[in-house]
Structure formats: structure tokens, C-alpha cells
Amino acid sequence: MLPQLLLCRNLARSVLRTWSRGASNSETTQDDVIVDFDDPEHLPLPEYPKRPNEPLNKRKQRLLYQSRKRGMLENDLLLSTFADKYLKDFNEAQTEVYDDLINGVSNDWDIYYWATGVKPTPQQYNTEIMKLLKEHVRNAEKVTRFRQPELTYYL
């Protein structure tokens, strides 16, 4: 099995190298360079840009949308219902913590596992907002969450 995986990896590298060289006749740009990391645990990840001057109502609108469009249905349902229930009442500091949580974590499965208690929450994200999210996930009221709530706008 291992020789087949190595063969596939080497084939993919050679195809990508050939493609990046022959993709255009223009000069090679930074986007054309293929970088291969042997240690996927230490991949450099881009940081989410901070928006210090963003008005609070605009930030809440952005977070409401981002809570709905996560890329995985589980978090779409959990975070959209959470944002619908709590985001409108968050102050500026709480809103910033929520922003850091949903945009600072590079893997949505981490948020899901932390919120559901499958994995322990790292100290950096173990905040009052995460505790509120965990309470929301426990769903003591037994609310059915098959659909995302209707969009609301904070003016």
C-alpha cells in the first residue's frame, strides 16, 4: 500500500510541476510556485484580518452571515441558530470574541468538536462565548434545528 501512495504522490507532484510551468507563457508568479510541506501539522496558515474600525452593527451582520455559511451543515445549523439567538445582544467585546472564534480557527471540525464536547477546548477559545455555545449545543429546551433561522438585520 505504501509504494502505491508514494507513486500517487510523486505522480501528482510531477503533474503539478508540469502544469505550473506550462500553464502560461508569462512569468511565474508567487501563485504558480508549488510548495510541498513534508510535515502537514505545521502548515503555515494565513491569519484572518482584524477589522478594528468596523462598526458594531456591520460586524454583527457579517458574523450572522458567516455563521450560516460555514461549509459543513453541522456548524451551519449550530452557529446560525446560536447567532440568531444571542448575537443581537452581544456587546462589542463579546462580538469580538465570537468573531475570533469562528474566524480564527482554521478547521471548522475543531469548533464542532469543542462545542459538542468531543475534544477539550483549548484555553485560548475557552471563553464565556464558548460556554454559551456549549450550552446552546446541549439544547436543554429540546428545540428542533433542522433549518437555519430566517435572516434578520441589525440596523
Side-chain angles (χ1 to χ4, degrees):
M1 182 74 172
L2 185 59
Q4 293 156 337
L5 290 174
L6 290 175
L7 177 65
C8 289
R9 183 177 179 185
N10 290 337
L11 178 62
R13 282 183 185 165
S14 66
V15 168
L16 288 173
R17 268 191 228 108
T18 304
W19 176 80
S20 69
R21 276 191 229 122
S24 69
N25 293 333
S26 64
E27 293 182 18
T28 303
T29 64
Q30 183 179 3
D31 294 336
D32 293 332
V33 176
I34 297 173
V35 180
D36 184 29
F37 294 97
D38 292 326
D39 186 9
E41 292 291 319
H42 296 94
L43 290 175
L45 297 172
E47 287 189 31
Y48 186 76
K50 297 283 184 184
R51 298 173 178 165
N53 299 325
E54 185 176 34
L56 184 59
N57 62 342
K58 186 174 180 182
R59 177 180 256 185
K60 286 182 178 185
Q61 288 298 329
R62 177 177 53 80
L63 291 173
L64 183 65
Y65 177 80
Q66 290 174 334
S67 298
R68 299 171 62 88
K69 305 294 182 187
R70 301 306 305 169
M72 55 181 278
L73 181 60
E74 293 86 348
N75 276 357
D76 289 348
L77 291 171
L78 291 179
L79 293 176
S80 67
T81 55
F82 176 79
D84 183 62
K85 185 174 182 179
Y86 295 106
L87 188 59
K88 62 185 169 291
D89 298 324
F90 283 176
N91 62 31
E92 195 163 337
Q94 292 169 319
T95 305
E96 185 173 344
V97 170
Y98 184 64
D99 193 357
D100 289 342
L101 172 66
I102 69 169
N103 292 308
V105 178
S106 62
N107 185 348
D108 263 7
W109 282 108
D110 287 338
I111 297 172
Y112 180 77
Y113 289 144
W114 300 335
T116 57
V118 173
K119 288 184 178 179
T121 307
Q123 191 62 34
Q124 175 185 359
Y125 296 107
N126 200 14
T127 61
E128 66 171 314
I129 301 301
M130 178 55 81
K131 290 178 178 113
L132 197 59
L133 177 60
K134 287 179 179 183
E135 181 183 311
H136 178 74
V137 169
R138 279 189 214 99
N139 196 11
E141 305 90 27
K142 304 292 185 215
V143 176
T144 34
R145 297 178 182 147
F146 294 126
R147 310 181 83 164
Q148 292 186 11
E150 295 295 321
L151 275 175
T152 56
Y153 298 95
Y154 308 115
L155 300 176

